[in-house]
Amino acid sequence: MRVKVVADRFGPGDGRSARQMASDVAQGWRMAAPHDEVESFGLSDGSAGFVDAVSALADETSPVVIDGPFRGVGGESEPVPAQIVLVGETAYIEAAHVVGRHLVPDEMDLDDSFGASSAGVGELLAAARATGARRIVVGVGIDVACHDGGRGLLEALGAGPHLEALPEVCRDWSGHTLVLATASSIPLTGFHGASAALASEHAVSAQFSQKMESEMGAYTETVDAALGGVRSPDLLTGTARRRERESGAGVGGGLGYALQILGAQTTPGAALLLEDLDVESRLRGALVVLVAQRYDWHSIGSGVVADTARAALGAACPTVLLAEEVLVGRREGMSLGISGSYALRAAETMSQLSARVAKTWSPSPRAS
């Protein structure tokens, strides 16, 4: 039997990348079913680990040093390392390298931690362009500390302190293909926007959330004024489209909004990697083994599990899922085509879980 193992990245406490996790699970499967042909892939929805997922195909990897997201006493930022992965004419970068939550000092208050600048992402974007890449894919997840609407990014690219040069910046980037890769469809403003999510999902104070919503509203007015108040019409209704309400505009505290202003197309990060890494074309005729840390309601909505399961369903492939914790019933999983889900037992490793499941799904052939 052909088996394709596709893993999402586990939390930072695990220490293994998605590719390493997929390899471990594949090794466990081979131990129990040596007669199977097993291939493994690590994916990401745009969050931390996005660049690592494509590094196996890299023609070149360029390490860079970028200003960090927080200014110190002297007004300077601590430099942070980042990577640009080049595959042909495409450069892959991820926002978490320069504005990730892991860069927040332990002593910083929760509300203050979202006051980071996104300028480093603009510097990283410029560095990716300097490689000569014509297509730049930016992975942006929910694991970032900034919440400035991407203003720092735009200023770092030359838009000016009052965004007076924003039209020139947009024209300057119009010759490049930008892609915003993310699993989130959250808008920037509104009751279901990025600022509201600070209180509901990140447990910041309601006062801070309201303050951020007000600041984002004023900021979007500045953007509209800088762009001459021109808004493209919605093709269905004919009414002017509000950039801040676009799907994905609120991801990364508004990084999505800034990238969309520059012309970026928004796409699910996992679905993009399934295509760019040529994973989707290899699924047909195989058993797909999904690996995630937690299988819950978020998993079946978007991300590596949901997008890979849909691709497998489209190819008429059976799918099983392995996770440390399973919180979704079989009926809900069947809507994605997931035939069975398996959780870790006490003291069991993911490799051992894989071997256990392999004995069920691919028992050894009987001797003739």
Side-chain angles (χ1 to χ4, degrees), residues 200-219:
S200 62
E201 297 184 15
H202 298 285
V204 304
S205 66
Q207 292 82 359
F208 180 78
S209 175
Q210 293 167 3
K211 175 176 177 286
M212 288 293 97
E213 178 71 8
S214 177
E215 290 186 4
M216 290 301 100
Y219 162 61

Side-chain angles (χ1 to χ4, degrees), residues 77-94:
S77 299
E78 285 287 334
V80 296
Q83 282 192 332
I84 303 168
V85 170
L86 294 169
V87 182
E89 292 190 339
T90 298
Y92 297 86
I93 59 177
E94 68 178 63

Side-chain angles (χ1 to χ4, degrees), residues 154-220:
L154 296 175
E155 291 179 358
L157 294 179
H162 303 292
L163 304 182
E164 62 275 9
L166 182 56
E168 288 80 3
V169 172
C170 292
R171 283 193 291 270
D172 185 41
W173 282 85
S174 62
H176 290 73
T177 300
L178 294 179
V179 181
L180 167 62
T182 180
S184 175
S185 59
I186 190 171
L188 179 60
T189 60
F191 289 116
H192 302 288
S195 297
L198 290 177
S200 62
E201 297 184 15
H202 298 285
V204 304
S205 66
Q207 292 82 359
F208 180 78
S209 175
Q210 293 167 3
K211 175 176 177 286
M212 288 293 97
E213 178 71 8
S214 177
E215 290 186 4
M216 290 301 100
Y219 162 61
T220 59

Side-chain angles (χ1 to χ4, degrees), residues 340-356:
S341 54
Y342 303 84
L344 285 179
R345 293 173 178 171
E348 190 176 41
T349 66
M350 291 303 296
S351 179
Q352 291 168 339
L353 170 59
S354 176
R356 172 162 62 89

Side-chain angles (χ1 to χ4, degrees), residues 55-69:
S55 59
L57 297 179
D59 296 322
E60 181 183 347
T61 300
S62 299
V64 292
V65 177
I66 302 294
D67 283 342

Side-chain angles (χ1 to χ4, degrees), residues 219-232:
Y219 162 61
T220 59
E221 290 179 3
T222 301
V223 169
D224 287 343
L227 295 176
V230 177
R231 294 184 176 186
S232 58

Side-chain angles (χ1 to χ4, degrees), residues 51 148 177 228 248 296:
V51 160
D148 65 352
T177 300
D296 56 15

